[in-house]
Amino acid sequence: TLAKTRGNRYQFYVASVDNEIRERKRLERELSEALAMDQLQLVYQPQIDFRTGQVAGAEALLRWEHPEQGWISPEIFIPLAEKSDLIIAIGEWVLDRACAQLKVWHGMGFPELRMAVNLSAVQLKQTDLTDLVVRTLSKHQLPPQTLELEMTETGIMEDLQAAATALKAIKKSGVLLALDDFGTGYSSLSYLKQLPFDKIKIDKSFVQEITDSHDDSSIVRAIIQLGESLELQVIAEGVETAAHETYLIQHGCQEGQGYYYCKPVPDPLFIEYLRKSNQAA
Ligand code: C2E
Ligand code: MG
Ligand code: MG
Ligand code: MG
C-alpha cells in the first residue's frame, strides 16, 4: 500500500507539471492569436518634467485582455513571449503603434513630446533591430530624438558584450536610450560608462520607500548624484505622493512618473491629461 501511495503521488506530480506545460502552451498560442487579431492594446503614462511641471513624454505599456481570463499582466505575458520568440513580433507591433500614436500627438500641437518604448533583451539580439527602428521612424516621419527605448538593467547584464554592440548601433540612429529599473540588477557601475545611455530610471521600489526608509532614500540620492556625474538624465518611476515628488525635486531629480500624476491610460485620457497639464492647442 505504501508503494501504491507513492505511485499515486508520482502520477499526481507528473499530471500537474503536464498541466502547467499545457496551460503555458495554450496561453502562448492565445497570445499569438491576440497579436494577429489586434487584441493587444497600448496604454500611456505621462512623464513629468520637474522644471516646468509639464508632460515631457509618455511611456507606452502593453495590455492584453484575455477573452476568458480578463486582464493579464505584462509581468506574466512578456516573459512568456520572450520564451517563444513571439516577443520579436510583439515588439515590432508595439514600436509601430507607439510611433503612430506619437505622430498623432505631435500633430495636435505637441511636436516635442517624446515616446518611451520598452525593449526586451531578446530584441537586442535581433540582428536588424537598428534597421527596424530607423524604418519605423521614417514610416511615421518622426524625429529620432522624440523616441526613447527603455531596457532593463537585468536584460543588459545577461549578455553585456552583445548588448553594448547593439546599443551603440541603435544610438547612431539618434534615438534616446534609457536604463529601466535601475538599482535592481546585479550590475557593476563601471559598465554604465561603456554604454551609450542618455537616462536612468530609478526603480519604483526605491522611490516608494523614500519617505520611510533611510536606506532607500540614500540609494535614491546616490543614483541622482551618479546621473549628475555621468551626465545622465534621471527619472523616477513609481511616484505616488506629493512627498515623493518633493523629495525628488529637492535632491535634483529631473523627471517623475507615477500614479501621483496619472496611471497608464488609453489615448483619449492621455490627451485629456496632456491638454490640461501643458495648456496648449
Ligand atoms: P516597467 O517598464 O518598469 O514599467 C513600469 C511599471 O510600473 C508599469 O507596470 C506601470 O504600470 C507601473 N507603475 C507606474 N506608475 C506606478 C506607481 O506609481 N506605482 C506602482 N506601484 N506602479 C506604477 P506594467 O504596465 O504592469 O508593466 C510591467 C512591466 O512589463 C514593465 O515594467 C515592462 O518591463 C514590461 N512591459 C510592459 N509593456 C511592455 C512592452 O511593450 N514591451 C516589453 N518588452 N515589456 C513591456
Ligand atoms: Mg519601462
Ligand atoms: Mg521600470
Ligand atoms: Mg519593471
Side-chain angles (χ1 to χ4, degrees):
T1 55
L2 186 62
K4 197 173 169 202
T5 315
R6 272 210 196 119
N8 284 344
R9 267 197 210 141
Y10 175 72
Q11 276 164 12
F12 179 73
Y13 174 76
V14 168
S16 80
V17 169
D18 203 49
N19 273 339
E20 228 170 78
I21 293 172
R22 218 176 310 134
E23 175 63 17
R24 184 156 59 78
K25 285 283 165 212
R26 188 166 66 92
L27 212 56
E28 230 173 76
R29 198 186 58 242
E30 286 170 344
L31 179 57
S32 140
E33 284 163 9
L35 174 67
M37 292 162 66
D38 231 18
Q39 287 171 352
L40 298 179
Q41 296 185 151
L42 288 178
V43 287
Y44 306 93
Q45 187 175 37
Q47 299 181 326
I48 310 300
D49 181 340
F50 286 147
R51 284 167 312 172
T52 60
Q54 297 199 332
V55 178
E59 178 176 6
L61 293 156
L62 194 54
R63 296 290 179 263
W64 177 22
E65 189 175 11
H66 187 281
E68 289 117 39
Q69 297 179 36
W71 295 102
I72 300 180
S73 163
E75 312 260 16
I76 293 175
F77 72 79
I78 294 285
L80 194 73
E82 285 174 333
K83 274 185 204 123
S84 63
D85 273 4
L86 189 57
I87 192 67
I88 301 292
I90 290 181
E92 278 191 39
W93 183 87
V94 169
L95 187 65
D96 184 63
R97 294 335 298 152
C99 285
Q101 183 63 77
L102 183 62
K103 187 65 185 179
V104 172
W105 292 339
H106 281 184
M108 293 173 80
F110 305 97
E112 277 165 20
L113 203 71
R114 203 180 54 219
M115 180 72 84
V117 173
N118 291 284
L119 279 195
S120 149
V122 178
Q123 288 175 275
L124 271 189
K125 293 180 198 131
Q126 196 183 350
T127 48
D128 59 347
L129 182 61
T130 305
D131 270 4
L132 175 72
V133 170
V134 170
R135 261 189 288 122
T136 310
L137 285 170
S138 96
K139 173 180 171 192
H140 298 288
Q141 297 179 292
L142 285 170
Q145 71 278 11
T146 60
L147 177 66
E148 184 168 82
L149 301 173
E150 297 190 0
M151 276 135 293
T152 65
E153 197 183 7
T154 329
I156 303 267
M157 294 311 288
E158 274 171 28
D159 189 346
L160 187 54
Q161 251 352 89
T165 309
L167 289 175
K168 278 173 194 154
I170 299 174
K171 182 68 200 163
K172 285 203 189 117
S173 70
V175 301
L176 303 173
L177 298 176
L179 187 53
D180 207 348
D181 300 353
F182 187 72
T184 60
Y186 303 92
S187 51
S188 77
L189 294 177
S190 62
Y191 82 99
L192 253 187
K193 275 197 306 193
Q194 301 161 30
L195 298 172
F197 281 105
D198 301 283
K199 184 188 267 190
I200 43 190
K201 292 191 86 172
I202 308 176
D203 191 69
K204 55 179 180 289
S205 60
F206 303 116
V207 177
Q208 283 164 3
E209 300 291 320
I210 270 181
T211 42
D212 308 318
S213 153
H214 175 73
D215 288 350
D216 286 341
S217 57
S218 345
I219 291 172
V220 166
R221 287 200 311 277
I223 296 177
I224 294 171
Q225 280 160 20
L226 185 72
E228 255 163 41
S229 52
L230 295 179
E231 289 174 42
L232 297 166
Q233 294 272 320
V234 180
I235 181 169
E237 63 173 30
V239 180
E240 292 186 352
T241 66
H244 292 163
E245 185 195 60
T246 305
Y247 189 94
L248 290 161
I249 292 176
Q250 272 172 358
H251 291 90
C253 185
Q254 284 118 353
E255 289 184 4
Q257 177 184 347
Y259 299 162
Y260 178 59
Y261 309 104
C262 184
K263 48 180 205 198
V265 289
D267 166 45
L269 289 174
F270 182 85
I271 291 171
E272 206 176 288
Y273 187 88
L274 182 64
R275 286 212 166 110
K276 261 191 231 148
S277 125
N278 294 28
Q279 288 159 353

mmCIF file of all heavy atoms in Angstrom, residues 126-169:
data_model
loop_
_atom_site.group_PDB
_atom_site.id
_atom_site.type_symbol
_atom_site.label_atom_id
_atom_site.label_comp_id
_atom_site.label_asym_id
_atom_site.label_seq_id
_atom_site.Cartn_x
_atom_site.Cartn_y
_atom_site.Cartn_z
ATOM 1 N N GLN A 126 18.226 40.709 -31.733
ATOM 2 C CA GLN A 126 17.669 40.716 -33.087
ATOM 3 C C GLN A 126 18.653 41.485 -33.983
ATOM 4 O O GLN A 126 19.002 42.621 -33.681
ATOM 5 C CB GLN A 126 16.335 41.475 -33.012
ATOM 6 C CG GLN A 126 15.406 41.320 -34.162
ATOM 7 C CD GLN A 126 14.154 42.206 -33.951
ATOM 8 O OE1 GLN A 126 13.935 42.771 -32.888
ATOM 9 N NE2 GLN A 126 13.358 42.330 -34.992
ATOM 10 N N THR A 127 19.114 40.853 -35.059
ATOM 11 C CA THR A 127 20.189 41.474 -35.835
ATOM 12 C C THR A 127 19.758 42.768 -36.521
ATOM 13 O O THR A 127 20.544 43.678 -36.682
ATOM 14 C CB THR A 127 20.726 40.506 -36.905
ATOM 15 O OG1 THR A 127 19.607 39.939 -37.587
ATOM 16 C CG2 THR A 127 21.573 39.416 -36.292
ATOM 17 N N ASP A 128 18.492 42.849 -36.927
ATOM 18 C CA ASP A 128 18.087 44.036 -37.683
ATOM 19 C C ASP A 128 17.325 45.049 -36.823
ATOM 20 O O ASP A 128 16.502 45.796 -37.319
ATOM 21 C CB ASP A 128 17.241 43.626 -38.884
ATOM 22 C CG ASP A 128 15.992 42.858 -38.444
ATOM 23 O OD1 ASP A 128 15.937 42.458 -37.259
ATOM 24 O OD2 ASP A 128 15.092 42.677 -39.274
ATOM 25 N N LEU A 129 17.616 45.064 -35.527
ATOM 26 C CA LEU A 129 16.881 45.970 -34.636
ATOM 27 C C LEU A 129 17.067 47.441 -35.030
ATOM 28 O O LEU A 129 16.101 48.204 -35.065
ATOM 29 C CB LEU A 129 17.305 45.737 -33.181
ATOM 30 C CG LEU A 129 16.565 46.585 -32.150
ATOM 31 C CD1 LEU A 129 15.072 46.316 -32.165
ATOM 32 C CD2 LEU A 129 17.113 46.337 -30.741
ATOM 33 N N THR A 130 18.313 47.829 -35.335
ATOM 34 C CA THR A 130 18.554 49.219 -35.723
ATOM 35 C C THR A 130 17.777 49.563 -36.989
ATOM 36 O O THR A 130 17.134 50.612 -37.071
ATOM 37 C CB THR A 130 20.056 49.479 -35.955
ATOM 38 O OG1 THR A 130 20.753 49.081 -34.779
ATOM 39 C CG2 THR A 130 20.326 50.947 -36.215
ATOM 40 N N ASP A 131 17.812 48.654 -37.962
ATOM 41 C CA ASP A 131 17.033 48.822 -39.194
ATOM 42 C C ASP A 131 15.565 49.048 -38.898
ATOM 43 O O ASP A 131 14.923 49.924 -39.471
ATOM 44 C CB ASP A 131 17.102 47.535 -40.035
ATOM 45 C CG ASP A 131 18.265 47.569 -40.991
ATOM 46 O OD1 ASP A 131 19.036 48.544 -40.927
ATOM 47 O OD2 ASP A 131 18.389 46.616 -41.782
ATOM 48 N N LEU A 132 15.055 48.202 -38.017
ATOM 49 C CA LEU A 132 13.641 48.280 -37.657
ATOM 50 C C LEU A 132 13.308 49.652 -37.062
ATOM 51 O O LEU A 132 12.320 50.284 -37.438
ATOM 52 C CB LEU A 132 13.296 47.175 -36.651
ATOM 53 C CG LEU A 132 11.874 47.236 -36.100
ATOM 54 C CD1 LEU A 132 10.863 46.837 -37.158
ATOM 55 C CD2 LEU A 132 11.720 46.356 -34.864
ATOM 56 N N VAL A 133 14.168 50.116 -36.175
ATOM 57 C CA VAL A 133 13.943 51.412 -35.533
ATOM 58 C C VAL A 133 13.978 52.534 -36.571
ATOM 59 O O VAL A 133 13.079 53.382 -36.623
ATOM 60 C CB VAL A 133 14.988 51.654 -34.412
ATOM 61 C CG1 VAL A 133 14.928 53.080 -33.899
ATOM 62 C CG2 VAL A 133 14.787 50.657 -33.267
ATOM 63 N N VAL A 134 14.996 52.492 -37.433
ATOM 64 C CA VAL A 134 15.140 53.531 -38.459
ATOM 65 C C VAL A 134 13.947 53.515 -39.422
ATOM 66 O O VAL A 134 13.379 54.567 -39.743
ATOM 67 C CB VAL A 134 16.477 53.352 -39.222
ATOM 68 C CG1 VAL A 134 16.541 54.258 -40.445
ATOM 69 C CG2 VAL A 134 17.654 53.607 -38.292
ATOM 70 N N ARG A 135 13.566 52.315 -39.847
ATOM 71 C CA ARG A 135 12.417 52.190 -40.775
ATOM 72 C C ARG A 135 11.133 52.700 -40.140
ATOM 73 O O ARG A 135 10.337 53.386 -40.779
ATOM 74 C CB ARG A 135 12.221 50.715 -41.152
ATOM 75 C CG ARG A 135 12.823 50.335 -42.498
ATOM 76 C CD ARG A 135 12.406 48.938 -42.924
ATOM 77 N NE ARG A 135 13.054 47.894 -42.126
ATOM 78 C CZ ARG A 135 12.406 46.977 -41.412
ATOM 79 N NH1 ARG A 135 11.084 46.938 -41.386
ATOM 80 N NH2 ARG A 135 13.085 46.078 -40.709
ATOM 81 N N THR A 136 10.924 52.352 -38.875
ATOM 82 C CA THR A 136 9.681 52.748 -38.207
ATOM 83 C C THR A 136 9.624 54.264 -38.020
ATOM 84 O O THR A 136 8.589 54.885 -38.240
ATOM 85 C CB THR A 136 9.538 52.016 -36.856
ATOM 86 O OG1 THR A 136 9.762 50.628 -37.067
ATOM 87 C CG2 THR A 136 8.159 52.209 -36.268
ATOM 88 N N LEU A 137 10.765 54.865 -37.651
ATOM 89 C CA LEU A 137 10.806 56.323 -37.514
ATOM 90 C C LEU A 137 10.474 56.991 -38.839
ATOM 91 O O LEU A 137 9.723 57.965 -38.887
ATOM 92 C CB LEU A 137 12.200 56.778 -37.050
ATOM 93 C CG LEU A 137 12.552 56.546 -35.582
ATOM 94 C CD1 LEU A 137 14.047 56.814 -35.359
ATOM 95 C CD2 LEU A 137 11.708 57.429 -34.669
ATOM 96 N N SER A 138 11.042 56.463 -39.927
ATOM 97 C CA SER A 138 10.830 57.135 -41.200
ATOM 98 C C SER A 138 9.422 56.874 -41.725
ATOM 99 O O SER A 138 8.798 57.755 -42.302
ATOM 100 C CB SER A 138 11.944 56.800 -42.203
ATOM 101 O OG SER A 138 11.560 55.749 -43.041
ATOM 102 N N LYS A 139 8.888 55.686 -41.468
ATOM 103 C CA LYS A 139 7.491 55.404 -41.834
ATOM 104 C C LYS A 139 6.534 56.439 -41.224
ATOM 105 O O LYS A 139 5.610 56.895 -41.857
ATOM 106 C CB LYS A 139 7.114 53.996 -41.366
ATOM 107 C CG LYS A 139 5.637 53.650 -41.535
ATOM 108 C CD LYS A 139 5.320 52.242 -41.047
ATOM 109 C CE LYS A 139 3.809 51.988 -41.017
ATOM 110 N NZ LYS A 139 3.472 50.748 -40.295
ATOM 111 N N HIS A 140 6.803 56.794 -39.965
ATOM 112 C CA HIS A 140 5.906 57.724 -39.287
ATOM 113 C C HIS A 140 6.436 59.157 -39.293
ATOM 114 O O HIS A 140 5.858 60.027 -38.637
ATOM 115 C CB HIS A 140 5.651 57.241 -37.855
ATOM 116 C CG HIS A 140 4.977 55.902 -37.804
ATOM 117 N ND1 HIS A 140 3.658 55.726 -38.137
ATOM 118 C CD2 HIS A 140 5.454 54.667 -37.517
ATOM 119 C CE1 HIS A 140 3.339 54.436 -38.033
ATOM 120 N NE2 HIS A 140 4.424 53.771 -37.657
ATOM 121 N N GLN A 141 7.520 59.373 -40.013
ATOM 122 C CA GLN A 141 8.141 60.697 -40.131
ATOM 123 C C GLN A 141 8.335 61.373 -38.779
ATOM 124 O O GLN A 141 7.863 62.484 -38.538
ATOM 125 C CB GLN A 141 7.285 61.579 -41.040
ATOM 126 C CG GLN A 141 7.224 61.020 -42.458
ATOM 127 C CD GLN A 141 6.355 61.879 -43.348
ATOM 128 O OE1 GLN A 141 5.136 61.934 -43.163
ATOM 129 N NE2 GLN A 141 6.983 62.552 -44.302
ATOM 130 N N LEU A 142 9.053 60.671 -37.928
ATOM 131 C CA LEU A 142 9.318 61.193 -36.594
ATOM 132 C C LEU A 142 10.797 61.552 -36.435
ATOM 133 O O LEU A 142 11.670 60.805 -36.889
ATOM 134 C CB LEU A 142 8.973 60.130 -35.544
ATOM 135 C CG LEU A 142 7.501 59.874 -35.245
ATOM 136 C CD1 LEU A 142 7.364 58.633 -34.371
ATOM 137 C CD2 LEU A 142 6.856 61.083 -34.573
ATOM 138 N N PRO A 143 11.093 62.678 -35.760
ATOM 139 C CA PRO A 143 12.485 62.976 -35.431
ATOM 140 C C PRO A 143 12.986 61.932 -34.425
ATOM 141 O O PRO A 143 12.276 61.651 -33.451
ATOM 142 C CB PRO A 143 12.433 64.355 -34.776
ATOM 143 C CG PRO A 143 11.023 64.834 -34.867
ATOM 144 C CD PRO A 143 10.150 63.692 -35.274
ATOM 145 N N PRO A 144 14.170 61.363 -34.650
ATOM 146 C CA PRO A 144 14.649 60.281 -33.789
ATOM 147 C C PRO A 144 14.714 60.641 -32.307
ATOM 148 O O PRO A 144 14.473 59.782 -31.451
ATOM 149 C CB PRO A 144 16.046 59.959 -34.331
ATOM 150 C CG PRO A 144 16.370 60.988 -35.345
ATOM 151 C CD PRO A 144 15.108 61.665 -35.746
ATOM 152 N N GLN A 145 15.020 61.888 -32.012
ATOM 153 C CA GLN A 145 15.178 62.251 -30.593
ATOM 154 C C GLN A 145 13.843 62.306 -29.846
ATOM 155 O O GLN A 145 13.810 62.561 -28.644
ATOM 156 C CB GLN A 145 15.966 63.561 -30.426
ATOM 157 C CG GLN A 145 15.242 64.817 -30.855
ATOM 158 C CD GLN A 145 15.313 65.062 -32.365
ATOM 159 O OE1 GLN A 145 15.726 64.214 -33.148
ATOM 160 N NE2 GLN A 145 14.898 66.260 -32.779
ATOM 161 N N THR A 146 12.723 62.071 -30.555
ATOM 162 C CA THR A 146 11.449 62.003 -29.833
ATOM 163 C C THR A 146 11.096 60.562 -29.450
ATOM 164 O O THR A 146 10.069 60.312 -28.839
ATOM 165 C CB THR A 146 10.277 62.626 -30.634
ATOM 166 O OG1 THR A 146 10.125 61.926 -31.868
ATOM 167 C CG2 THR A 146 10.518 64.103 -30.909
ATOM 168 N N LEU A 147 11.969 59.628 -29.825
ATOM 169 C CA LEU A 147 11.751 58.229 -29.420
ATOM 170 C C LEU A 147 12.818 57.820 -28.417
ATOM 171 O O LEU A 147 14.010 58.093 -28.608
ATOM 172 C CB LEU A 147 11.804 57.304 -30.646
ATOM 173 C CG LEU A 147 11.657 55.797 -30.347
ATOM 174 C CD1 LEU A 147 10.269 55.466 -29.798
ATOM 175 C CD2 LEU A 147 11.935 54.969 -31.612
ATOM 176 N N GLU A 148 12.366 57.182 -27.341
ATOM 177 C CA GLU A 148 13.298 56.707 -26.325
ATOM 178 C C GLU A 148 13.055 55.210 -26.123
ATOM 179 O O GLU A 148 11.927 54.775 -26.021
ATOM 180 C CB GLU A 148 13.012 57.454 -25.023
ATOM 181 C CG GLU A 148 13.949 57.147 -23.889
ATOM 182 C CD GLU A 148 13.750 58.150 -22.758
ATOM 183 O OE1 GLU A 148 12.824 57.955 -21.955
ATOM 184 O OE2 GLU A 148 14.497 59.141 -22.711
ATOM 185 N N LEU A 149 14.124 54.443 -26.095
ATOM 186 C CA LEU A 149 13.990 53.000 -25.900
ATOM 187 C C LEU A 149 14.478 52.646 -24.500
ATOM 188 O O LEU A 149 15.571 53.028 -24.099
ATOM 189 C CB LEU A 149 14.794 52.253 -26.975
ATOM 190 C CG LEU A 149 14.356 52.574 -28.412
ATOM 191 C CD1 LEU A 149 15.301 51.949 -29.427
ATOM 192 C CD2 LEU A 149 12.923 52.104 -28.665
ATOM 193 N N GLU A 150 13.625 51.921 -23.766
ATOM 194 C CA GLU A 150 13.971 51.537 -22.389
ATOM 195 C C GLU A 150 14.365 50.075 -22.337
ATOM 196 O O GLU A 150 13.681 49.217 -22.875
ATOM 197 C CB GLU A 150 12.755 51.723 -21.458
ATOM 198 C CG GLU A 150 12.283 53.135 -21.330
ATOM 199 C CD GLU A 150 11.232 53.303 -20.224
ATOM 200 O OE1 GLU A 150 10.878 52.309 -19.560
ATOM 201 O OE2 GLU A 150 10.779 54.440 -20.039
ATOM 202 N N MET A 151 15.463 49.808 -21.662
ATOM 203 C CA MET A 151 15.886 48.424 -21.441
ATOM 204 C C MET A 151 16.206 48.226 -19.981
ATOM 205 O O MET A 151 16.756 49.116 -19.345
ATOM 206 C CB MET A 151 17.147 48.130 -22.240
ATOM 207 C CG MET A 151 16.856 47.745 -23.675
ATOM 208 S SD MET A 151 17.960 48.604 -24.772
ATOM 209 C CE MET A 151 17.426 50.293 -24.551
ATOM 210 N N THR A 152 15.906 47.038 -19.449
ATOM 211 C CA THR A 152 16.199 46.833 -18.031
ATOM 212 C C THR A 152 17.658 46.444 -17.836
ATOM 213 O O THR A 152 18.299 45.859 -18.713
ATOM 214 C CB THR A 152 15.335 45.728 -17.391
ATOM 215 O OG1 THR A 152 15.677 44.477 -17.996
ATOM 216 C CG2 THR A 152 13.865 46.002 -17.568
ATOM 217 N N GLU A 153 18.114 46.813 -16.651
ATOM 218 C CA GLU A 153 19.479 46.515 -16.258
ATOM 219 C C GLU A 153 19.732 44.994 -16.315
ATOM 220 O O GLU A 153 20.773 44.555 -16.823
ATOM 221 C CB GLU A 153 19.626 47.020 -14.828
ATOM 222 C CG GLU A 153 21.000 47.182 -14.355
ATOM 223 C CD GLU A 153 20.988 47.620 -12.894
ATOM 224 O OE1 GLU A 153 19.918 47.660 -12.254
ATOM 225 O OE2 GLU A 153 22.076 47.896 -12.402
ATOM 226 N N THR A 154 18.786 44.227 -15.820
ATOM 227 C CA THR A 154 18.954 42.768 -15.805
ATOM 228 C C THR A 154 19.101 42.223 -17.226
ATOM 229 O O THR A 154 19.943 41.364 -17.482
ATOM 230 C CB THR A 154 17.730 42.091 -15.134
ATOM 231 O OG1 THR A 154 17.215 42.986 -14.150
ATOM 232 C CG2 THR A 154 18.100 40.799 -14.489
ATOM 233 N N GLY A 155 18.283 42.734 -18.136
ATOM 234 C CA GLY A 155 18.335 42.300 -19.527
ATOM 235 C C GLY A 155 19.688 42.573 -20.157
ATOM 236 O O GLY A 155 20.246 41.742 -20.880
ATOM 237 N N ILE A 156 20.231 43.748 -19.871
ATOM 238 C CA ILE A 156 21.533 44.142 -20.426
ATOM 239 C C ILE A 156 22.655 43.259 -19.888
ATOM 240 O O ILE A 156 23.547 42.852 -20.614
ATOM 241 C CB ILE A 156 21.858 45.600 -20.012
ATOM 242 C CG1 ILE A 156 20.757 46.535 -20.472
ATOM 243 C CG2 ILE A 156 23.230 46.019 -20.497
ATOM 244 C CD1 ILE A 156 20.956 47.167 -21.765
ATOM 245 N N MET A 157 22.569 42.954 -18.591
ATOM 246 C CA MET A 157 23.655 42.220 -17.949
ATOM 247 C C MET A 157 23.723 40.752 -18.387
ATOM 248 O O MET A 157 24.747 40.115 -18.227
ATOM 249 C CB MET A 157 23.527 42.287 -16.415
ATOM 250 C CG MET A 157 23.704 43.683 -15.839
ATOM 251 S SD MET A 157 25.166 44.551 -16.432
ATOM 252 C CE MET A 157 26.446 43.636 -15.581
ATOM 253 N N GLU A 158 22.604 40.245 -18.943
ATOM 254 C CA GLU A 158 22.607 38.861 -19.419
ATOM 255 C C GLU A 158 23.722 38.614 -20.425
ATOM 256 O O GLU A 158 24.320 37.552 -20.456
ATOM 257 C CB GLU A 158 21.270 38.531 -20.101
ATOM 258 C CG GLU A 158 20.204 38.075 -19.136
ATOM 259 C CD GLU A 158 18.837 37.970 -19.814
ATOM 260 O OE1 GLU A 158 18.782 37.732 -21.040
ATOM 261 O OE2 GLU A 158 17.837 38.146 -19.094
ATOM 262 N N ASP A 159 23.915 39.586 -21.294
ATOM 263 C CA ASP A 159 24.976 39.473 -22.277
ATOM 264 C C ASP A 159 25.493 40.879 -22.571
ATOM 265 O O ASP A 159 25.088 41.527 -23.537
ATOM 266 C CB ASP A 159 24.436 38.807 -23.554
ATOM 267 C CG ASP A 159 25.559 38.469 -24.530
ATOM 268 O OD1 ASP A 159 26.691 38.980 -24.342
ATOM 269 O OD2 ASP A 159 25.299 37.708 -25.468
ATOM 270 N N LEU A 160 26.371 41.322 -21.719
ATOM 271 C CA LEU A 160 26.821 42.712 -21.752
ATOM 272 C C LEU A 160 27.467 43.077 -23.086
ATOM 273 O O LEU A 160 27.208 44.140 -23.643
ATOM 274 C CB LEU A 160 27.792 42.960 -20.587
ATOM 275 C CG LEU A 160 28.235 44.399 -20.378
ATOM 276 C CD1 LEU A 160 27.055 45.330 -20.233
ATOM 277 C CD2 LEU A 160 29.131 44.494 -19.138
ATOM 278 N N GLN A 161 28.313 42.181 -23.603
ATOM 279 C CA GLN A 161 29.020 42.475 -24.859
ATOM 280 C C GLN A 161 28.055 42.667 -26.013
ATOM 281 O O GLN A 161 28.125 43.646 -26.750
ATOM 282 C CB GLN A 161 30.027 41.342 -25.186
ATOM 283 C CG GLN A 161 31.479 41.729 -25.018
ATOM 284 C CD GLN A 161 31.720 43.218 -24.737
ATOM 285 O OE1 GLN A 161 31.728 43.659 -23.582
ATOM 286 N NE2 GLN A 161 31.924 44.002 -25.792
ATOM 287 N N ALA A 162 27.122 41.718 -26.151
ATOM 288 C CA ALA A 162 26.124 41.796 -27.226
ATOM 289 C C ALA A 162 25.264 43.049 -27.065
ATOM 290 O O ALA A 162 24.988 43.755 -28.040
ATOM 291 C CB ALA A 162 25.247 40.554 -27.224
ATOM 292 N N ALA A 163 24.884 43.326 -25.826
ATOM 293 C CA ALA A 163 24.047 44.499 -25.574
ATOM 294 C C ALA A 163 24.800 45.775 -25.946
ATOM 295 O O ALA A 163 24.246 46.669 -26.590
ATOM 296 C CB ALA A 163 23.614 44.538 -24.116
ATOM 297 N N ALA A 164 26.066 45.853 -25.566
ATOM 298 C CA ALA A 164 26.860 47.059 -25.843
ATOM 299 C C ALA A 164 26.938 47.310 -27.349
ATOM 300 O O ALA A 164 26.745 48.445 -27.811
ATOM 301 C CB ALA A 164 28.261 46.912 -25.248
ATOM 302 N N THR A 165 27.201 46.255 -28.107
ATOM 303 C CA THR A 165 27.288 46.385 -29.569
ATOM 304 C C THR A 165 25.957 46.868 -30.144
ATOM 305 O O THR A 165 25.918 47.808 -30.947
ATOM 306 C CB THR A 165 27.656 45.019 -30.204
ATOM 307 O OG1 THR A 165 28.805 44.511 -29.513
ATOM 308 C CG2 THR A 165 27.958 45.155 -31.675
ATOM 309 N N ALA A 166 24.867 46.224 -29.723
ATOM 310 C CA ALA A 166 23.541 46.586 -30.237
ATOM 311 C C ALA A 166 23.177 48.024 -29.864
ATOM 312 O O ALA A 166 22.694 48.793 -30.697
ATOM 313 C CB ALA A 166 22.495 45.617 -29.697
ATOM 314 N N LEU A 167 23.465 48.396 -28.626
ATOM 315 C CA LEU A 167 23.085 49.731 -28.164
ATOM 316 C C LEU A 167 23.844 50.824 -28.914
ATOM 317 O O LEU A 167 23.284 51.859 -29.262
ATOM 318 C CB LEU A 167 23.337 49.862 -26.656
ATOM 319 C CG LEU A 167 22.390 49.064 -25.755
ATOM 320 C CD1 LEU A 167 22.810 49.164 -24.302
ATOM 321 C CD2 LEU A 167 20.955 49.549 -25.929
ATOM 322 N N LYS A 168 25.122 50.553 -29.179
ATOM 323 C CA LYS A 168 25.915 51.557 -29.913
ATOM 324 C C LYS A 168 25.373 51.760 -31.315
ATOM 325 O O LYS A 168 25.318 52.882 -31.822
ATOM 326 C CB LYS A 168 27.393 51.166 -29.943
ATOM 327 C CG LYS A 168 28.085 51.564 -28.640
ATOM 328 C CD LYS A 168 29.506 51.049 -28.534
ATOM 329 C CE LYS A 168 29.985 51.198 -27.081
ATOM 330 N NZ LYS A 168 31.038 50.233 -26.733
ATOM 331 N N ALA A 169 24.968 50.661 -31.945
ATOM 332 C CA ALA A 169 24.398 50.757 -33.295
ATOM 333 C C ALA A 169 23.081 51.541 -33.280
ATOM 334 O O ALA A 169 22.870 52.437 -34.097
ATOM 335 C CB ALA A 169 24.179 49.360 -33.866
#
